[in-house]
Amino acid sequence: MPARTLKDKVVVIGGASKNLGGLVARELARDGAKIVVHYNSDSSRDKAEQTVADVKKAGGDAFAHQGDLTKVAEVEKLFDAAVRAFGKVDHMVNTAGMVIKKPMTETSEEEFDKMFAVNSKAAYFMMREAAKRLERDGSIVTVVTSLLAAYTGLYSVYAGSKAPVEHFTRALSKELFGRNISVNNIAPGPMDTPFFYPAETDDSVAYHKSSSMNGDLTKIEDIVPYVKFLLTDGWWLNGQTLFINGGYTTR
């Protein structure tokens, strides 16, 4: 089996302007990947353009594309843009997500609908569109959450809206038999990013830290090697959810 590399491979990354998605883009660029840097809103435009500049500086190629991934037409436009610019798509990594933390009794219908739109619907149609567009020997990776293996309250609509992605992954990985495309999830522990802190208190942050093997939160730098692995040497792993969390939860 020839070595699998990222040289000249086209990777569409959902939520790539900052945090985990931004670091994934920069690290894949070191191996010569071509990156489609998706971002959601005007407020992220500058960071997306900075990610593009960083990718090119690292030896890859990139462009930024804005879109609301909860709208199927905009997911399709994202992949259209990738094909127009680079001629193909080899891999898809979706890091986009949203979190709220509150009791189920206080969760509104609007909050429920928004969380499922971002964490479930957008993931589904990113996977669907990737399945239509990917070249043979590609990979699809979606970021979920280690709370899928936790027994806890307050995250019902967050973890609940991520949970369907596990079944989407199993189903799609089976449907793509014959094309040698792997489909997997990465479930990080609570990550030390601005995404995490607004939903937490000092006490809950301390609790999350105490639940890992080294008393700290997951770093985005801890997750990127596993994304890269799934796009290259980890191609034989398929239909799985990897809990990358320092022992925060197990299953």
Side-chain angles (χ1 to χ4, degrees):
M1 177 66 68
R4 296 195 175 213
T5 72
L6 290 166
K7 177 66 174 174
D8 294 326
K9 298 298 184 182
V10 178
V11 187
V12 173
I13 304 180
S17 65
K18 54 189 176 181
N19 298 331
L20 177 60
L23 185 59
V24 168
R26 293 190 294 273
E27 289 300 312
L28 299 186
R30 295 179 186 276
D31 291 331
K34 299 177 180 180
I35 310 295
V36 182
V37 177
H38 162 265
Y39 66 102
N40 180 67
S41 63
D42 288 338
S43 63
S44 299
R45 184 184 303 275
D46 289 346
K47 290 183 178 179
E49 293 295 347
Q50 183 60 56
T51 299
V52 169
D54 292 342
V55 165
K56 292 181 177 180
K57 185 176 180 180
D61 196 2
F63 70 93
H65 181 91
Q66 183 177 6
D68 180 353
L69 299 183
T70 68
K71 294 179 169 57
V72 176
E74 296 200 24
V75 174
E76 293 170 345
K77 288 177 182 177
L78 172 62
F79 283 84
D80 287 342
V83 173
R84 279 197 307 273
F86 296 132
K88 62 174 183 171
V89 180
D90 296 291
H91 305 289
M92 188 280 283
V93 179
N94 184 29
T95 72
M98 177 176 288
V99 62
I100 62 170
K101 178 183 180 181
K102 59 171 49 180
M104 184 180 290
T105 54
E106 297 176 12
T107 302
S108 68
E109 180 180 11
E110 180 182 9
E111 288 170 329
F112 180 96
D113 289 344
K114 188 172 185 179
M115 293 294 289
F116 271 83
V118 173
N119 293 332
S120 187
K121 179 184 177 182
Y124 185 95
F125 285 101
M126 283 286 282
M127 293 167 67
R128 187 199 75 166
E129 203 60 27
K132 291 181 177 181
R133 309 291 188 111
L134 257 60
E135 299 286 308
R136 182 180 173 84
D137 300 329
S139 302
I140 295 171
V141 178
T142 306
V143 175
V144 288
T145 173
S146 280
L147 290 172
L148 296 179
Y151 180 48
T152 184
L154 305 180
Y155 297 101
S156 61
V157 73
Y158 172 58
S161 59
K162 290 283 192 178
V165 180
E166 285 202 276
H167 183 71
F168 302 160
T169 293
R170 287 192 292 269
L172 184 58
S173 65
K174 194 76 170 180
E175 292 171 14
L176 292 179
F177 276 21
R179 291 174 57 192
N180 223 37
I181 294 174
S182 64
V183 188
N184 294 286
N185 301 314
I186 288 179
M191 288 191 288
D192 187 9
T193 72
F195 179 84
F196 168 72
Y197 290 99
E200 303 297 332
T201 65
D202 290 344
D203 286 345
S204 66
V205 171
Y207 171 78
H208 288 301
K209 288 182 175 181
S210 72
S211 298
S212 72
M213 63 189 284
N214 65 352
D216 208 350
L217 300 173
T218 296
K219 302 291 192 295
I220 57 176
E221 292 82 1
D222 301 326
I223 302 301
V224 172
Y226 294 93
V227 175
K228 184 177 177 180
F229 174 71
L230 290 175
L231 304 189
T232 54
D233 292 340
W235 65 274
W236 189 239
L237 195 68
N238 197 23
Q240 307 298 321
T241 298
L242 303 183
F243 285 80
I244 313 299
N245 60 24
Y248 175 79
T249 58
T250 66
R251 188 173 65 185

PDB file of all heavy atoms in Angstrom, residues 69-95:
ATOM      1  N   LEU A  69     -23.828  26.999   7.323  1.00  0.00           N
ATOM      2  CA  LEU A  69     -23.904  25.566   7.060  1.00  0.00           C
ATOM      3  C   LEU A  69     -25.229  24.950   7.473  1.00  0.00           C
ATOM      4  O   LEU A  69     -25.486  23.777   7.169  1.00  0.00           O
ATOM      5  CB  LEU A  69     -22.754  24.842   7.771  1.00  0.00           C
ATOM      6  CG  LEU A  69     -21.347  25.263   7.352  1.00  0.00           C
ATOM      7  CD1 LEU A  69     -20.305  24.413   8.070  1.00  0.00           C
ATOM      8  CD2 LEU A  69     -21.165  25.188   5.842  1.00  0.00           C
ATOM      9  N   THR A  70     -26.094  25.709   8.142  1.00  0.00           N
ATOM     10  CA  THR A  70     -27.429  25.194   8.447  1.00  0.00           C
ATOM     11  C   THR A  70     -28.363  25.302   7.250  1.00  0.00           C
ATOM     12  O   THR A  70     -29.495  24.821   7.301  1.00  0.00           O
ATOM     13  CB  THR A  70     -28.056  25.922   9.648  1.00  0.00           C
ATOM     14  OG1 THR A  70     -28.349  27.277   9.299  1.00  0.00           O
ATOM     15  CG2 THR A  70     -27.129  25.890  10.856  1.00  0.00           C
ATOM     16  N   LYS A  71     -27.887  25.918   6.175  1.00  0.00           N
ATOM     17  CA  LYS A  71     -28.654  26.035   4.933  1.00  0.00           C
ATOM     18  C   LYS A  71     -28.018  25.122   3.886  1.00  0.00           C
ATOM     19  O   LYS A  71     -26.851  25.300   3.509  1.00  0.00           O
ATOM     20  CB  LYS A  71     -28.684  27.486   4.448  1.00  0.00           C
ATOM     21  CG  LYS A  71     -29.452  28.417   5.390  1.00  0.00           C
ATOM     22  CD  LYS A  71     -29.431  29.839   4.877  1.00  0.00           C
ATOM     23  CE  LYS A  71     -30.400  30.726   5.635  1.00  0.00           C
ATOM     24  NZ  LYS A  71     -30.143  30.749   7.077  1.00  0.00           N
ATOM     25  N   VAL A  72     -28.767  24.154   3.410  1.00  0.00           N
ATOM     26  CA  VAL A  72     -28.222  23.136   2.511  1.00  0.00           C
ATOM     27  C   VAL A  72     -27.634  23.775   1.251  1.00  0.00           C
ATOM     28  O   VAL A  72     -26.573  23.362   0.763  1.00  0.00           O
ATOM     29  CB  VAL A  72     -29.293  22.096   2.151  1.00  0.00           C
ATOM     30  CG1 VAL A  72     -28.758  21.093   1.138  1.00  0.00           C
ATOM     31  CG2 VAL A  72     -29.775  21.373   3.407  1.00  0.00           C
ATOM     32  N   ALA A  73     -28.296  24.781   0.718  1.00  0.00           N
ATOM     33  CA  ALA A  73     -27.793  25.433  -0.496  1.00  0.00           C
ATOM     34  C   ALA A  73     -26.406  26.024  -0.278  1.00  0.00           C
ATOM     35  O   ALA A  73     -25.568  26.023  -1.191  1.00  0.00           O
ATOM     36  CB  ALA A  73     -28.766  26.519  -0.950  1.00  0.00           C
ATOM     37  N   GLU A  74     -26.142  26.507   0.932  1.00  0.00           N
ATOM     38  CA  GLU A  74     -24.838  27.104   1.202  1.00  0.00           C
ATOM     39  C   GLU A  74     -23.769  26.034   1.423  1.00  0.00           C
ATOM     40  O   GLU A  74     -22.588  26.260   1.127  1.00  0.00           O
ATOM     41  CB  GLU A  74     -24.940  28.072   2.381  1.00  0.00           C
ATOM     42  CG  GLU A  74     -25.850  29.248   2.058  1.00  0.00           C
ATOM     43  CD  GLU A  74     -25.643  30.459   2.940  1.00  0.00           C
ATOM     44  OE1 GLU A  74     -24.541  30.617   3.514  1.00  0.00           O
ATOM     45  OE2 GLU A  74     -26.594  31.251   3.048  1.00  0.00           O
ATOM     46  N   VAL A  75     -24.160  24.891   1.928  1.00  0.00           N
ATOM     47  CA  VAL A  75     -23.227  23.763   1.994  1.00  0.00           C
ATOM     48  C   VAL A  75     -22.820  23.359   0.575  1.00  0.00           C
ATOM     49  O   VAL A  75     -21.644  23.133   0.277  1.00  0.00           O
ATOM     50  CB  VAL A  75     -23.853  22.569   2.734  1.00  0.00           C
ATOM     51  CG1 VAL A  75     -22.939  21.348   2.659  1.00  0.00           C
ATOM     52  CG2 VAL A  75     -24.137  22.923   4.190  1.00  0.00           C
ATOM     53  N   GLU A  76     -23.812  23.278  -0.311  1.00  0.00           N
ATOM     54  CA  GLU A  76     -23.520  22.921  -1.703  1.00  0.00           C
ATOM     55  C   GLU A  76     -22.602  23.957  -2.350  1.00  0.00           C
ATOM     56  O   GLU A  76     -21.669  23.601  -3.088  1.00  0.00           O
ATOM     57  CB  GLU A  76     -24.824  22.795  -2.478  1.00  0.00           C
ATOM     58  CG  GLU A  76     -25.688  21.621  -2.015  1.00  0.00           C
ATOM     59  CD  GLU A  76     -27.079  21.637  -2.604  1.00  0.00           C
ATOM     60  OE1 GLU A  76     -27.493  22.693  -3.150  1.00  0.00           O
ATOM     61  OE2 GLU A  76     -27.761  20.594  -2.535  1.00  0.00           O
ATOM     62  N   LYS A  77     -22.833  25.240  -2.068  1.00  0.00           N
ATOM     63  CA  LYS A  77     -21.996  26.296  -2.631  1.00  0.00           C
ATOM     64  C   LYS A  77     -20.558  26.201  -2.126  1.00  0.00           C
ATOM     65  O   LYS A  77     -19.605  26.514  -2.855  1.00  0.00           O
ATOM     66  CB  LYS A  77     -22.578  27.668  -2.298  1.00  0.00           C
ATOM     67  CG  LYS A  77     -23.851  28.003  -3.061  1.00  0.00           C
ATOM     68  CD  LYS A  77     -24.409  29.353  -2.617  1.00  0.00           C
ATOM     69  CE  LYS A  77     -25.717  29.669  -3.344  1.00  0.00           C
ATOM     70  NZ  LYS A  77     -26.309  30.952  -2.866  1.00  0.00           N
ATOM     71  N   LEU A  78     -20.387  25.775  -0.882  1.00  0.00           N
ATOM     72  CA  LEU A  78     -19.044  25.609  -0.321  1.00  0.00           C
ATOM     73  C   LEU A  78     -18.252  24.584  -1.132  1.00  0.00           C
ATOM     74  O   LEU A  78     -17.096  24.818  -1.508  1.00  0.00           O
ATOM     75  CB  LEU A  78     -19.155  25.175   1.141  1.00  0.00           C
ATOM     76  CG  LEU A  78     -17.867  24.758   1.849  1.00  0.00           C
ATOM     77  CD1 LEU A  78     -16.880  25.917   1.918  1.00  0.00           C
ATOM     78  CD2 LEU A  78     -18.184  24.234   3.255  1.00  0.00           C
ATOM     79  N   PHE A  79     -18.887  23.453  -1.429  1.00  0.00           N
ATOM     80  CA  PHE A  79     -18.201  22.423  -2.206  1.00  0.00           C
ATOM     81  C   PHE A  79     -18.056  22.833  -3.669  1.00  0.00           C
ATOM     82  O   PHE A  79     -17.046  22.502  -4.306  1.00  0.00           O
ATOM     83  CB  PHE A  79     -18.924  21.088  -2.051  1.00  0.00           C
ATOM     84  CG  PHE A  79     -18.643  20.410  -0.741  1.00  0.00           C
ATOM     85  CD1 PHE A  79     -19.368  20.743   0.397  1.00  0.00           C
ATOM     86  CD2 PHE A  79     -17.645  19.456  -0.636  1.00  0.00           C
ATOM     87  CE1 PHE A  79     -19.105  20.129   1.612  1.00  0.00           C
ATOM     88  CE2 PHE A  79     -17.376  18.838   0.572  1.00  0.00           C
ATOM     89  CZ  PHE A  79     -18.103  19.173   1.706  1.00  0.00           C
ATOM     90  N   ASP A  80     -19.040  23.550  -4.195  1.00  0.00           N
ATOM     91  CA  ASP A  80     -18.908  24.087  -5.551  1.00  0.00           C
ATOM     92  C   ASP A  80     -17.664  24.969  -5.648  1.00  0.00           C
ATOM     93  O   ASP A  80     -16.897  24.890  -6.622  1.00  0.00           O
ATOM     94  CB  ASP A  80     -20.133  24.922  -5.922  1.00  0.00           C
ATOM     95  CG  ASP A  80     -21.374  24.087  -6.205  1.00  0.00           C
ATOM     96  OD1 ASP A  80     -21.231  22.869  -6.451  1.00  0.00           O
ATOM     97  OD2 ASP A  80     -22.481  24.663  -6.175  1.00  0.00           O
ATOM     98  N   ALA A  81     -17.474  25.816  -4.643  1.00  0.00           N
ATOM     99  CA  ALA A  81     -16.329  26.733  -4.637  1.00  0.00           C
ATOM    100  C   ALA A  81     -15.017  25.961  -4.582  1.00  0.00           C
ATOM    101  O   ALA A  81     -14.034  26.337  -5.244  1.00  0.00           O
ATOM    102  CB  ALA A  81     -16.438  27.698  -3.462  1.00  0.00           C
ATOM    103  N   ALA A  82     -14.995  24.883  -3.800  1.00  0.00           N
ATOM    104  CA  ALA A  82     -13.789  24.062  -3.701  1.00  0.00           C
ATOM    105  C   ALA A  82     -13.429  23.462  -5.054  1.00  0.00           C
ATOM    106  O   ALA A  82     -12.258  23.490  -5.480  1.00  0.00           O
ATOM    107  CB  ALA A  82     -13.995  22.958  -2.665  1.00  0.00           C
ATOM    108  N   VAL A  83     -14.424  22.925  -5.750  1.00  0.00           N
ATOM    109  CA  VAL A  83     -14.173  22.295  -7.049  1.00  0.00           C
ATOM    110  C   VAL A  83     -13.765  23.332  -8.090  1.00  0.00           C
ATOM    111  O   VAL A  83     -12.869  23.085  -8.917  1.00  0.00           O
ATOM    112  CB  VAL A  83     -15.409  21.491  -7.503  1.00  0.00           C
ATOM    113  CG1 VAL A  83     -15.232  20.978  -8.915  1.00  0.00           C
ATOM    114  CG2 VAL A  83     -15.678  20.341  -6.538  1.00  0.00           C
ATOM    115  N   ARG A  84     -14.408  24.507  -8.058  1.00  0.00           N
ATOM    116  CA  ARG A  84     -14.018  25.560  -9.002  1.00  0.00           C
ATOM    117  C   ARG A  84     -12.567  25.974  -8.803  1.00  0.00           C
ATOM    118  O   ARG A  84     -11.828  26.180  -9.771  1.00  0.00           O
ATOM    119  CB  ARG A  84     -14.924  26.790  -8.839  1.00  0.00           C
ATOM    120  CG  ARG A  84     -16.251  26.701  -9.532  1.00  0.00           C
ATOM    121  CD  ARG A  84     -16.878  28.074  -9.680  1.00  0.00           C
ATOM    122  NE  ARG A  84     -16.963  28.793  -8.407  1.00  0.00           N
ATOM    123  CZ  ARG A  84     -17.975  28.689  -7.556  1.00  0.00           C
ATOM    124  NH1 ARG A  84     -19.010  27.905  -7.848  1.00  0.00           N
ATOM    125  NH2 ARG A  84     -17.976  29.372  -6.427  1.00  0.00           N
ATOM    126  N   ALA A  85     -12.167  26.104  -7.552  1.00  0.00           N
ATOM    127  CA  ALA A  85     -10.826  26.607  -7.266  1.00  0.00           C
ATOM    128  C   ALA A  85      -9.746  25.561  -7.465  1.00  0.00           C
ATOM    129  O   ALA A  85      -8.668  25.854  -8.001  1.00  0.00           O
ATOM    130  CB  ALA A  85     -10.777  27.140  -5.836  1.00  0.00           C
ATOM    131  N   PHE A  86     -10.019  24.327  -7.043  1.00  0.00           N
ATOM    132  CA  PHE A  86      -8.970  23.310  -6.995  1.00  0.00           C
ATOM    133  C   PHE A  86      -9.244  22.078  -7.855  1.00  0.00           C
ATOM    134  O   PHE A  86      -8.408  21.188  -7.943  1.00  0.00           O
ATOM    135  CB  PHE A  86      -8.736  22.878  -5.549  1.00  0.00           C
ATOM    136  CG  PHE A  86      -8.223  23.967  -4.652  1.00  0.00           C
ATOM    137  CD1 PHE A  86      -8.806  24.211  -3.410  1.00  0.00           C
ATOM    138  CD2 PHE A  86      -7.146  24.753  -5.037  1.00  0.00           C
ATOM    139  CE1 PHE A  86      -8.322  25.206  -2.566  1.00  0.00           C
ATOM    140  CE2 PHE A  86      -6.658  25.756  -4.204  1.00  0.00           C
ATOM    141  CZ  PHE A  86      -7.245  25.982  -2.969  1.00  0.00           C
ATOM    142  N   GLY A  87     -10.438  22.001  -8.463  1.00  0.00           N
ATOM    143  CA  GLY A  87     -10.725  20.918  -9.380  1.00  0.00           C
ATOM    144  C   GLY A  87     -11.247  19.637  -8.777  1.00  0.00           C
ATOM    145  O   GLY A  87     -11.697  18.735  -9.502  1.00  0.00           O
ATOM    146  N   LYS A  88     -11.231  19.526  -7.444  1.00  0.00           N
ATOM    147  CA  LYS A  88     -11.651  18.296  -6.782  1.00  0.00           C
ATOM    148  C   LYS A  88     -11.763  18.554  -5.292  1.00  0.00           C
ATOM    149  O   LYS A  88     -11.422  19.631  -4.804  1.00  0.00           O
ATOM    150  CB  LYS A  88     -10.622  17.186  -7.009  1.00  0.00           C
ATOM    151  CG  LYS A  88      -9.242  17.527  -6.427  1.00  0.00           C
ATOM    152  CD  LYS A  88      -8.267  16.375  -6.522  1.00  0.00           C
ATOM    153  CE  LYS A  88      -6.939  16.733  -5.861  1.00  0.00           C
ATOM    154  NZ  LYS A  88      -6.025  15.564  -5.753  1.00  0.00           N
ATOM    155  N   VAL A  89     -12.259  17.548  -4.557  1.00  0.00           N
ATOM    156  CA  VAL A  89     -12.225  17.542  -3.090  1.00  0.00           C
ATOM    157  C   VAL A  89     -11.773  16.146  -2.659  1.00  0.00           C
ATOM    158  O   VAL A  89     -12.323  15.146  -3.120  1.00  0.00           O
ATOM    159  CB  VAL A  89     -13.595  17.856  -2.462  1.00  0.00           C
ATOM    160  CG1 VAL A  89     -13.500  17.832  -0.937  1.00  0.00           C
ATOM    161  CG2 VAL A  89     -14.120  19.208  -2.928  1.00  0.00           C
ATOM    162  N   ASP A  90     -10.770  16.090  -1.786  1.00  0.00           N
ATOM    163  CA  ASP A  90     -10.259  14.809  -1.296  1.00  0.00           C
ATOM    164  C   ASP A  90     -10.731  14.475   0.115  1.00  0.00           C
ATOM    165  O   ASP A  90     -10.966  13.304   0.427  1.00  0.00           O
ATOM    166  CB  ASP A  90      -8.732  14.816  -1.307  1.00  0.00           C
ATOM    167  CG  ASP A  90      -8.172  14.938  -2.704  1.00  0.00           C
ATOM    168  OD1 ASP A  90      -8.311  13.977  -3.483  1.00  0.00           O
ATOM    169  OD2 ASP A  90      -7.609  16.005  -3.024  1.00  0.00           O
ATOM    170  N   HIS A  91     -10.836  15.493   0.958  1.00  0.00           N
ATOM    171  CA  HIS A  91     -11.176  15.261   2.365  1.00  0.00           C
ATOM    172  C   HIS A  91     -12.102  16.370   2.854  1.00  0.00           C
ATOM    173  O   HIS A  91     -12.071  17.498   2.352  1.00  0.00           O
ATOM    174  CB  HIS A  91      -9.923  15.266   3.247  1.00  0.00           C
ATOM    175  CG  HIS A  91      -8.865  14.296   2.825  1.00  0.00           C
ATOM    176  ND1 HIS A  91      -9.002  12.941   2.974  1.00  0.00           N
ATOM    177  CD2 HIS A  91      -7.633  14.506   2.274  1.00  0.00           C
ATOM    178  CE1 HIS A  91      -7.900  12.336   2.532  1.00  0.00           C
ATOM    179  NE2 HIS A  91      -7.067  13.269   2.095  1.00  0.00           N
ATOM    180  N   MET A  92     -12.902  16.032   3.873  1.00  0.00           N
ATOM    181  CA  MET A  92     -13.733  17.025   4.559  1.00  0.00           C
ATOM    182  C   MET A  92     -13.560  16.870   6.056  1.00  0.00           C
ATOM    183  O   MET A  92     -13.630  15.759   6.595  1.00  0.00           O
ATOM    184  CB  MET A  92     -15.208  16.868   4.185  1.00  0.00           C
ATOM    185  CG  MET A  92     -16.105  18.003   4.711  1.00  0.00           C
ATOM    186  SD  MET A  92     -16.586  17.840   6.464  1.00  0.00           S
ATOM    187  CE  MET A  92     -17.863  16.582   6.363  1.00  0.00           C
ATOM    188  N   VAL A  93     -13.319  17.980   6.734  1.00  0.00           N
ATOM    189  CA  VAL A  93     -13.233  18.017   8.191  1.00  0.00           C
ATOM    190  C   VAL A  93     -14.205  19.088   8.675  1.00  0.00           C
ATOM    191  O   VAL A  93     -14.086  20.251   8.284  1.00  0.00           O
ATOM    192  CB  VAL A  93     -11.811  18.364   8.671  1.00  0.00           C
ATOM    193  CG1 VAL A  93     -11.757  18.422  10.199  1.00  0.00           C
ATOM    194  CG2 VAL A  93     -10.792  17.362   8.136  1.00  0.00           C
ATOM    195  N   ASN A  94     -15.163  18.702   9.513  1.00  0.00           N
ATOM    196  CA  ASN A  94     -16.136  19.672  10.019  1.00  0.00           C
ATOM    197  C   ASN A  94     -15.921  19.892  11.509  1.00  0.00           C
ATOM    198  O   ASN A  94     -16.143  18.999  12.326  1.00  0.00           O
ATOM    199  CB  ASN A  94     -17.566  19.192   9.779  1.00  0.00           C
ATOM    200  CG  ASN A  94     -18.586  20.227  10.216  1.00  0.00           C
ATOM    201  OD1 ASN A  94     -18.304  21.425  10.193  1.00  0.00           O
ATOM    202  ND2 ASN A  94     -19.760  19.781  10.627  1.00  0.00           N
ATOM    203  N   THR A  95     -15.476  21.088  11.856  1.00  0.00           N
ATOM    204  CA  THR A  95     -15.264  21.447  13.262  1.00  0.00           C
ATOM    205  C   THR A  95     -16.331  22.403  13.769  1.00  0.00           C
ATOM    206  O   THR A  95     -16.304  22.789  14.942  1.00  0.00           O
ATOM    207  CB  THR A  95     -13.882  22.107  13.465  1.00  0.00           C
ATOM    208  OG1 THR A  95     -13.886  23.427  12.908  1.00  0.00           O
ATOM    209  CG2 THR A  95     -12.773  21.290  12.825  1.00  0.00           C
TER     210      THR A  95
END
